[in-house]
Amino acid sequence: MEKGKGLARKWAVEFAENTSSSSSYSGVPDPLGFNRSSQDLDDANGGRQKKDAEAAWKSQKAWEVAQAPLKNLLMMGFMMWMAGSTVHLFSIGITFSALWQPISALQGVGKVFEPYKDSRVDILAPKLLFIALNLAGLALGVWKLNTLGLLPTHASDWVSSLAPAQEVEFSGGGLPIH
Amino acid sequence: MAMAVRVCLGFLIVLLYSNFSTALYEDQVGLADWHQKYIGKVKQAVFPTQKSGRRRVVVSTEENVIASLDLRRGDIFWRHVLGKDDHVDQIDIALGKYFITLSSEGSILRAWNLPDGQMMWESAFYVSTPSKSLLYVPANINLGKENWFLVFSGGWLHAVSSIDGEIVWKKEFAIDSLEIKQVFQPPESDIIYAVGFVGSSQFSVCELSSKSGEVLKHNTASFPGGFCGEASLVSSDMLVALDATRSALIAISFQSGIINFHQTYISDLVQDFSGMAALLPVKFTGIFAMKTVSSIYLVRVKGVSELEVLEKFNHPASVSDALTLSEEQQAFGIVQHVETKIDFRVKLDKDLRNGVLKETIEMDPQRGHVQKVFISNYVRTDKSHGFRALIVMEDHSLSLVQQGVVVWSREDGLASIIDSTTSELPVEKEGVSVAEVEHNLFEWLKGHALKLKGTLLLASPDEIAAIQAMRLKNSERNKMTRDHNGFRKLIIVLTRAGKLLALHTGDGRIIWSLFFPSLHRSEACEHPSALNIYQWQVPHHHAMHENPSVLVVGRCGPSHDALGFFSVVDSYTGKERNSLKLAHSIIQVIPLPLTDSTEQRLHLIIDANLQAHLYPRTRDSVNIFLREMSNIYRHSIEVGKDMIRGYSLQSGCNLDVADEYCFNTKELWSIVFPSESEKIATTATRKINEVVHTQAKVIADQDVMYKYVSRNILFVATVAPKAAGEIGSVTPEEAWLVAYLIDAVTGRILHRVTHHGAQGPIHAVVSENWVVYHYFNLRAHRYEMSVIEIYDRSRADNKDVWKLVLGKHNLTSPVSSYSRPDVMVKSQSYFFTHSVKAMAVTATAKGITSKQLLIGTIGDQVLALDKRFLDPRRNVTLTQSEKEEGIIPLTDSLPIIPQAYVTHALQVEGLRGIVTIPARLESTTLVFSYGVDIFFTRIAPSRTYDSLTEDFSYALLLITIVALVAAIFATWILSEKKELREKWR
């Protein structure tokens, strides 16, 4: 955005004394048909247009970035389908990468959208989309984890190492010693 | 956590699928196991006199073993363990090369080849009436021609050919109700004399033809005083018998068919005689031995009316049989105790005043009194006779004494172990010297270098042998300190003789021994016998300065109401720490799940009047006990009455003297089995020290079942009274087996199942929430094993994950048997090929490792069978999730995998018991099995998943790491150099 700023003229000092002739800088008359002021105006007009284009480009880019996880999601889905539902090295690797990618993406969500920040560009919507898609990716990962049976969602996961209950009574004896 | 467990489980299942059994490689034999061979208490011994057999002795023992032992070292040359009921009655040596045994009450005669123990022939006799059996092997046997052995058993006299065991002739005496006492054949004669008693007052002499068994002469004479049945032959025409009151001796001469009696009162012969006398079965010519309460007398018979006491030996003493040195010279040995030593004398029958030999031998006081002595002679270099004696001691040990020293002794009491327990070893002390470490370090490096060579297949055969030797005598195994894995322990065993021995699990050597009868014998307690051992004190947290100790309970006599004694023995030193004569009898000992402040376990002893006595007798223990008394119950199984009774305990006893350690029992419930249809055959309970890891069992589809885990489960199996006998004695319709699971607190029958057409013998084992039992199926003509698993249905609705996550469940709150939990049972039966001698289940420190059943097979081996094969949920078609769970598809019979024999190539002869002890390493169980032999090993039912194997090469690992680090450095330096070169270019 620095480039845009350089183009706009904020102020000007006229060192020439003959203020009457505003058409010339150094006593040399401007060529005919040359209207400095209109050019100046044009210049300013062109800057504004450029800025608009840029903003549009930025917001487009932001949307693109925001939609990027969708492709990832589809690919992940395919990989997961390929990996099957039994626990082995490949499926565990895929599942963990499927979990890790959205999490790391969500952590760096500010950084990803920083280049597109602009007063005139609304990046909240793409951000939200980005987050939503990543969350969907995470959900896919979790779902995969669940299909692998690695999520403690069953009662059995919570009681599998529960020690036996203590008994109140004790009865000893048996056969007499002979 | 659960995730990790699940992942681990997944891997474990994969692992388990690939290895059903944990077999050994050939070079691993003897690394963790040891095997010791014994023979038991020697009954009879004969010394072969032929050249080849000179250095041996053949013996028969009370464990029905016949064996040939090396006289120099006491090793076993060969050994045969006969059947359980095949007791050896008589042994002898014939023709110098055959060893003859008469067994099973005289009904089986066998001949064995002396050098290698091969059986030559066997012949069986019909026995109509049980009687004492006799074996007569003629002394003047000729090698060339056929000779006959004479066997009297069950009313028949048989002549048996020495060549093939054919019965040449037989003669029945049972018709005349003549019981033969002696059979003999005078040398160079064709007449066989058989002498015996008819009824209690008639004496009878038969002369038979040795060719045909025809009776040539039969004389009978009656004696009014009557006979008690004992008789001793003193010469070829004279016999000495005891009268019916056992207070008079009757000399009987039967020369040329005329029978003369002459009675001599023992009190006339010896002073201060009282009580009863007995004749010792020793064979001398002209002399007999008589035993009274206090002494042994040797009496010479000069004529029918002339008896003369030659010598008197005070008890404890023992007299050997006569040993023929030459035609007219006989020798015999006497062993007597002189304070702590024993006195061994050999005398010749011609010259009794002066002995040939007199030796005093130092004998271990832990061996008790002399029980039997057998002597043999050898010719010294100066042509004089030397003697050696085989001495059987009270603790069943066997020693050879020669030239005043004990040459060897065998601890044969270990053939009759009746109970066992374990003890930890002391903790290793700090401060090992530096020199030792350095030496060890060098050895360690050398050893590892050798092992590495072996791993890389670079070792020569010599080096391989060295590696194997090094592994076998690994000093780590035999240290007297506790190890990290808990493999080194002491196994404390009690033998039938009453000896307590501590064996080291590393190599099975005896650390200490303690003989109870000699320790507790007194006026009031004449025949002390030890009954059982219990853990008395196992310091864990408190009282760490104290050594662990075991409790031995015993009785002063054979009857149930004999007074008891009580002894606490230090497990480290084997010294008796405390002993107590009890004022009451012992019919039951109940170790309670309570310990006092010094970690002594509380024990209740039930006496014959059904009163409970609390031990240790301290204030502290009484206070602890009173707090818990309302929750302590007692049950007793009365096999004869087919009843089970449950009792509660109450303070106060109806004794004359007030005793605060005595409690009354009150009957609460009883289960009476209908005596016409059921008879208690077997009972089983869970081991008191068994650890269960979890109460939940996760089944397919992440479903969960709650185990009914109770230490009060009692398994009782009853059979039809008709079918209590041997297999095949009844038809399948008449036989049935009923299995009960009973709560021993309330007497509630949790489950009952009837197997029709099933018969005992039943062996059962209870663990966690299941019971496995083995029996015979008469319909299928096969052995069967059944499993019953019991689950708690009242807990089954604990399925809400959130409640479980937040801990809002009552699964861990204490349960009472009176809450009558609703139970559910799953069961299944499988065929099993073998009959079973003993059954046990593995036990681990935390109870996480899967279980294996240890089955003592008929071949005296121990077979490990995975509990998964005995899963009631096995099915023909399994769903995917059930397959994942590791359920094995249903088959009708249980597989026997040859590699699953824990005893690999060895046999534990006469197997009677299997004991499992958890090691500190969770994956590993120590297994101790005993019978006539003892065997120890350690097994890992799910392989050693928690440790590296012993032969893991640390050196290889170290070298690999070093090489990797070096390679990293080298490549780094190289790459740096290359980069520099690139930059200069």
Side-chain angles (χ1 to χ4, degrees), chain B residues 780-796:
Chain B
H781 302 285
R782 289 171 92 171
Y783 285 98
E784 232 173 52
M785 269 171 114
S786 282
V787 58
I788 300 176
E789 287 189 1
I790 177 161
Y791 293 96
D792 193 339
R793 200 151 46 180
S794 59
R795 292 165 172 250

Side-chain angles (χ1 to χ4, degrees), chain A residues 85-89 92 96 99 145-178, chain B residues 2-3 6 555 560 587-588 590 593 631-637 639 692-696 702 704 706 710-712 744-745 795 799 801 804-805 811 813-818:
Chain A
S85 64
T86 46
V87 180
H88 50 80
L89 209 61
I92 288 176
F96 279 92
L99 286 171
L145 212 57
N146 193 27
T147 53
L148 289 179
L150 299 179
L151 274 191
T153 52
H154 295 273
S156 59
D157 300 315
W158 295 92
V159 294
S160 62
S161 57
L162 203 65
Q166 218 188 329
E167 270 184 290
V168 178
E169 292 95 354
F170 170 78
S171 176
L175 292 167
I177 300 175
H178 34 252
Chain B
M3 246 157 42
R6 199 61 76 72
R555 247 184 222 148
H560 273 255
I587 61 160
Q588 229 171 41
I590 305 174
N631 288 326
I632 291 171
Y633 299 84
R634 166 193 172 235
H635 61 273
S636 88
I637 300 157
V639 174
V692 181
H693 176 242
T694 172
Q695 57 173 300
Q702 269 100 51
V704 64
Y706 294 93
S710 166
R711 52 192 171 175
N712 299 322
V745 171
R795 292 165 172 250
K799 291 221 168 111
V801 178
L804 293 168
V805 173
L811 292 174
S813 55
V815 284
S816 164
S817 292
Y818 287 104

Side-chain angles (χ1 to χ4, degrees), chain B residues 820-831:
Chain B
R820 294 184 67 86
D822 190 12
V823 295
M824 180 182 71
V825 158
K826 284 180 179 282
S827 57
Q828 184 68 272
S829 297
Y830 301 95
F831 290 126

Side-chain angles (χ1 to χ4, degrees), chain B residues 519-568:
Chain B
L519 214 61
H520 287 269
R521 193 177 285 130
S522 66
E523 285 286 311
C525 195
E526 260 188 56
H527 302 287
S529 62
L531 297 170
N532 274 328
I533 26 179
Y534 301 89
Q535 297 274 4
W536 179 252
Q537 191 180 18
V538 186
H540 268 307
H541 308 294
H542 317 291
M544 285 302 279
H545 58 281
E546 296 227 31
N547 292 352
S549 51
V550 292
L551 165 71
V552 179
V553 292
R555 247 184 222 148
C556 282
S559 72
H560 273 255
D561 47 3
L563 296 184
F565 68 83
F566 208 91
S567 169
V568 177

Side-chain angles (χ1 to χ4, degrees), chain B residues 130-436:
Chain B
S131 71
K132 212 165 170 287
S133 57
L134 289 174
L135 170 69
Y136 179 73
V137 176
N140 60 336
I141 208 153
N142 282 336
L143 275 175
K145 71 177 220 266
E146 188 179 10
N147 289 283
W148 298 335
F149 304 142
L150 299 174
V151 175
F152 175 76
S153 61
W156 287 81
L157 185 68
H158 301 265
V160 180
S161 161
S162 65
I163 292 169
D164 51 6
E166 284 289 311
I167 297 169
V168 183
W169 52 258
K170 56 186 176 184
K171 175 88 188 80
E172 190 177 5
F173 287 99
I175 304 168
D176 316 332
S177 68
L178 171 63
E179 192 171 341
I180 295 195
K181 289 290 160 195
Q182 296 285 344
V183 178
F184 62 95
Q185 186 176 17
E188 308 301 324
S189 152
D190 280 343
I191 295 166
I192 296 165
Y193 290 88
V195 295
F197 301 108
V198 182
S200 63
S201 64
Q202 274 193 317
F203 176 74
S204 181
V205 180
C206 266
E207 285 176 29
L208 298 110
S209 151
S210 69
K211 293 273 178 289
S212 60
E214 215 180 315
V215 177
L216 304 172
K217 240 187 235 172
H218 190 147
N219 295 317
T220 308
S222 73
F223 178 73
F227 300 103
C228 79
E230 280 180 26
S232 181
L233 192 73
V234 289
S235 67
S236 62
D237 56 3
M238 201 171 322
L239 193 79
V240 174
L242 273 173
D243 78 342
T245 59
R246 286 178 182 266
S247 60
L249 291 163
I250 303 144
I252 308 161
S253 84
F254 46 92
Q255 204 166 16
S256 57
I258 306 145
I259 301 169
N260 281 323
F261 297 110
H262 187 270
Q263 190 175 5
T264 315
Y265 285 99
I266 297 173
S267 49
D268 295 344
L269 215 57
V270 298
Q271 278 106 36
D272 54 85
F273 169 74
S274 62
M276 308 247 222
L279 293 177
L280 291 176
V282 288
K283 293 170 208 144
F284 302 132
T285 37
I287 302 171
F288 67 92
M290 178 178 72
K291 188 180 163 191
T292 64
V293 178
S294 61
S295 323
I296 292 174
Y297 295 92
L298 281 182
V299 185
R300 171 167 300 210
V301 185
K302 286 184 172 168
V304 167
S305 55
E306 227 180 320
L307 300 177
E308 180 197 10
V309 174
L310 290 172
E311 203 141 357
K312 173 188 169 185
F313 311 104
N314 286 335
H315 277 306
S318 187
V319 181
S320 80
D321 256 353
L323 175 76
T324 308
L325 296 178
S326 61
E327 284 293 310
E328 65 277 344
Q329 221 177 18
Q330 280 190 317
F332 60 92
I334 305 122
V335 175
Q336 247 185 314
H337 282 265
V338 184
E339 285 156 13
T340 59
K341 293 177 181 174
I342 60 165
D343 202 9
F344 169 53
R345 279 177 291 165
V346 176
K347 298 194 174 200
L348 299 178
D349 63 342
K350 293 281 173 286
D351 182 19
L352 279 168
R353 296 283 162 241
N354 307 313
V356 187
L357 181 85
K358 185 171 174 11
E359 286 167 357
T360 308
I361 304 130
E362 197 74 54
M363 197 56 116
D364 185 357
Q366 299 301 345
R367 295 196 183 281
H369 294 159
V370 170
Q371 299 267 297
K372 277 195 177 106
V373 57
F374 305 95
I375 62 163
S376 98
N377 68 315
Y378 57 93
V379 182
R380 293 211 192 95
T381 42
D382 60 351
K383 301 279 178 200
S384 64
H385 286 290
F387 294 93
R388 55 192 157 214
L390 204 59
I391 299 177
V392 183
M393 301 296 286
E394 206 178 355
D395 69 337
H396 299 183
S397 67
L398 184 69
S399 313
L400 185 82
V401 167
Q402 193 174 338
Q403 289 170 342
V405 286
V406 177
V407 183
W408 50 260
S409 37
R410 296 176 54 88
E411 200 63 63
D412 275 307
L414 285 171
S416 54
I417 292 172
I418 51 172
D419 200 4
S420 72
T421 185
T422 51
S423 163
E424 292 286 345
L425 283 162
V427 183
E428 196 156 6
K429 296 279 189 302
E430 294 285 320
V432 187
S433 76
V434 181
E436 204 176 341

